[in-house]
Amino acid sequence: MRITIFGTGYVGLVTGVCFAEVGHEVLCIDIDAQKIALLQEGKTPFFEPGLSELVRKNIAEKRLYFGTDAKEGVQFASAVFCSVGTPPSCSIGHEPDLSAVFAISKTFGQFVKGEKILVNKSTVPPGTAEKCRIIVASEIASRGKGDTISFDVVSNPEFLQEGCAIENTLHPDRILAGTTSDTSEAILREIYAPFLCSNTPFLRVSPQTAETIKYAANCFLATKISFMNEIARFCDAVGADVSDVAQAMGCDPRIGSSFLRAGVGYGGSCLPKDVSGLLFSGEQAKTPFRILESVREVNETQREVFLEKLFSLLPDVSGKTIALLGLSFKPNTDDIREAPSLKILNRLLELGARVRAFDPVAMNNISREVSHENFSCAKDPYVTVQGVDAVLLLTEWSEFQNLDMKRIVGLMKGDIFIDGRNMFHPLQMREFGFQYVGIGRN
């Protein structure tokens, strides 16, 4: 089947490449000509394991194309996917900015011919599909009489995790078809047929339900993280070990083990945005989400809770050198959007510290984001910790698990190691000679 993807950001590019990988013919459209030129060369604008290889493979096999012509994009395919960003607006309520989604809807209405569906993969508040439908219908009406046009607007949310997005796409745990149309359902079933195994549910729901499911899923994951961070604070107060608590809780199938790791809080492009988005939608519907308000508050304060652990051992960081290990919001991605490292880094610089950092893939992004005379990046972890007063571990990259800790403590000026991801065993780290502090393990 021919498919068009509008938007070559994280979701759009991964989705388009995986559609091509299973045999569909895919055209990816973006207004950023520089990004399109990069993609046409087989290069990707962000890091995701295995993505560059699949881009080059499917370009060579003539199943994947990139362009900037919106008219061509709409008329190329029978299914046009909208995968543009919906970032929080700058208003007090931080409601999602839907301008790009509405712009794609308008473009679709301007150029649509025959029978097509507009499939919204962007994360949007409930009711957005209907607003898009009105925009498309208005654009068609403004064109006057002409070819018979039949269209539908479908909600088809994504559930990708950065770092393993290709696996998530090729082997999904569910497919949502938010539509009231049998025809649209049939088209989506044909598109997703190569991804559906015997135990992968294909769920047809209303567009509003599909839009709500996406928010509910991400906000529940954020709730688990903030809940465990509050449990970690309690564990520190009473002398319990949050890692043991999480392990035991995770054995309960009603709870599950994922997203129960205490740390410096959640970040990235999804959870912070979607928590804010559902909070805004709840206020609009006059059904406020009190639990989510606390989830966001716990997450926002977790960075300061983490830094207080450093200040308890090093009360004055002015003039001191602090090493940061890990900058991306999670491993296996270069994404630093809403990363805890950014707020911790900027806070240390405000207090007069010198900060040296290392991340396996995110250093270019952080260098573009932070420009300060007291901030620098190093080529490896050992150079990073040379002569520093303290080390803060902020991302649980697997490479860090194999560091030579005797060498690390020997290179440092001080001996403070604050483990924001509980990667290491407290007793073992103290035997190496560190003043070691974890999260909820003290």
Side-chain angles (χ1 to χ4, degrees):
M1 180 178 286
R2 282 187 158 194
I3 297 169
T4 293
I5 308 283
F6 274 89
T8 58
Y10 192 86
V11 172
L13 183 56
V14 171
T15 301
V17 169
C18 289
F19 280 164
E21 177 67 10
V22 298
H24 297 303
E25 191 175 354
V26 181
L27 172 60
C28 295
I29 300 291
D30 202 290
I31 60 173
D32 188 337
Q34 186 175 0
K35 183 192 289 187
I36 290 298
L38 185 75
L39 287 163
Q40 288 171 338
E41 295 175 1
K43 301 174 183 177
T44 55
F46 54 85
F47 176 78
E48 174 66 27
L51 184 61
S52 296
E53 293 84 351
L54 285 185
V55 168
R56 290 191 292 270
K57 173 188 174 187
N58 284 282
I59 288 176
E61 295 177 359
K62 300 188 184 307
R63 290 193 300 267
L64 182 63
Y65 309 93
F66 299 95
T68 58
D69 189 331
K71 180 178 179 180
E72 180 190 9
V74 173
Q75 296 182 355
F76 173 83
S78 57
V80 176
F81 282 73
C82 173
S83 297
V84 293
T86 55
S89 68
C90 297
S91 65
I92 294 175
H94 301 293
E95 69 268 26
D97 180 354
L98 302 178
S99 58
V101 173
F102 294 151
I104 299 302
S105 301
K106 184 174 182 178
T107 298
F108 181 84
Q110 288 172 341
F111 301 121
V112 63
K113 291 182 178 181
E115 296 185 6
K116 294 183 187 289
I117 61 172
L118 177 61
V119 185
N120 189 19
K121 265 207 170 303
S122 301
T123 301
V124 295
T128 301
E130 182 57 31
K131 293 178 181 178
C132 293
R133 189 189 312 275
I134 293 170
I135 292 171
V136 174
S138 176
E139 288 298 319
I140 294 173
S142 69
R143 291 157 50 180
K145 294 182 179 180
D147 297 334
T148 301
I149 297 171
S150 176
F151 77 95
D152 188 24
V153 178
V154 179
S155 178
N156 175 226
E158 52 81 22
F159 298 96
L160 308 184
Q161 300 178 68
E162 295 189 35
C164 52
I166 292 172
E167 174 68 17
N168 294 158
T169 305
L170 295 175
H171 305 284
D173 50 26
R174 75 277 210 194
I175 299 294
L176 284 183
T179 180
T180 57
S181 163
D182 292 342
T183 301
S184 296
E185 178 187 354
I187 292 172
L188 281 183
R189 283 189 179 275
E190 182 179 351
I191 290 172
Y192 283 107
F195 304 96
L196 297 174
C197 57
S198 59
N199 61 347
T200 301
F202 184 100
L203 305 173
R204 175 175 163 181
V205 296
S206 70
Q208 304 96 303
T209 301
E211 292 161 341
T212 302
I213 288 169
K214 170 63 177 179
Y215 272 120
N218 275 359
C219 290
F220 186 73
L221 296 178
T223 300
K224 291 181 75 174
I225 294 170
S226 284
F227 177 80
M228 286 312 297
N229 279 329
E230 284 216 298
I231 292 294
R233 299 179 194 182
F234 178 76
C235 286
D236 277 338
V238 301
D241 189 323
V242 74
S243 295
D244 292 338
V245 173
Q247 182 180 13
M249 288 176 62
C251 293
D252 189 328
R254 297 170 300 173
I255 298 173
S257 60
S258 64
F259 286 76
L260 288 183
R261 291 190 65 178
V264 290
Y266 58 78
S269 62
C270 292
L271 298 192
K273 172 178 69 71
D274 293 350
V275 168
S276 294
L278 191 53
L279 280 169
F280 176 78
S281 294
E283 292 294 336
Q284 293 293 102
K286 295 182 171 52
T287 57
F289 291 95
R290 301 304 182 204
I291 291 175
L292 277 187
E293 290 173 0
S294 296
V295 166
R296 183 166 64 179
E297 180 185 359
V298 169
N299 195 61
E300 289 175 349
T301 57
Q302 189 66 9
R303 282 73 156 163
E304 282 298 324
V305 170
F306 174 79
L307 282 171
E308 284 299 324
K309 297 178 182 296
L310 171 64
F311 300 151
S312 67
L313 299 175
L314 192 67
D316 184 7
V317 298
S318 179
K320 301 296 192 299
T321 303
I322 311 297
L324 304 186
L325 294 182
L327 298 168
S328 56
F329 84 96
K330 62 179 286 188
N332 298 319
T333 179
D334 61 353
D335 196 343
I336 60 168
R337 287 174 289 181
E338 297 291 332
S341 64
L342 274 174
K343 295 185 179 180
I344 291 168
L345 168 57
N346 287 323
R347 179 75 173 127
L348 290 171
L349 292 174
E350 288 173 5
L351 295 173
R354 293 186 294 269
V355 181
R356 193 184 306 139
F358 172 78
D359 187 282
V361 299
M363 289 197 291
N364 287 339
N365 287 343
I366 206 82
S367 295
R368 286 192 290 266
E369 187 76 21
V370 180
S371 178
H372 196 285
E373 60 183 359
N374 286 336
F375 173 67
S376 62
C377 292
K379 66 179 182 179
D380 65 49
Y382 298 106
V383 174
T384 306
V385 304
Q386 180 76 47
V388 303
D389 296 280
V391 173
L392 311 184
L393 189 142
L394 301 179
T395 313
E396 62 275 34
W397 284 93
S398 59
E399 292 94 320
F400 297 158
Q401 191 75 60
N402 298 318
L403 290 175
D404 183 341
M405 286 301 171
K406 288 185 177 180
R407 182 181 175 190
I408 292 285
V409 74
L411 289 169
M412 293 172 62
K413 176 183 176 182
D415 59 4
I416 298 170
F417 193 109
I418 313 294
D419 186 352
R421 299 296 182 178
N422 287 342
M423 282 195 74
F424 302 102
H425 194 283
L427 292 179
Q428 186 177 45
M429 290 294 282
R430 288 166 189 148
E431 288 174 357
F432 284 132
F434 291 106
Q435 288 193 77
Y436 174 89
V437 179
I439 307 295
R441 308 183 73 189
N442 304 304

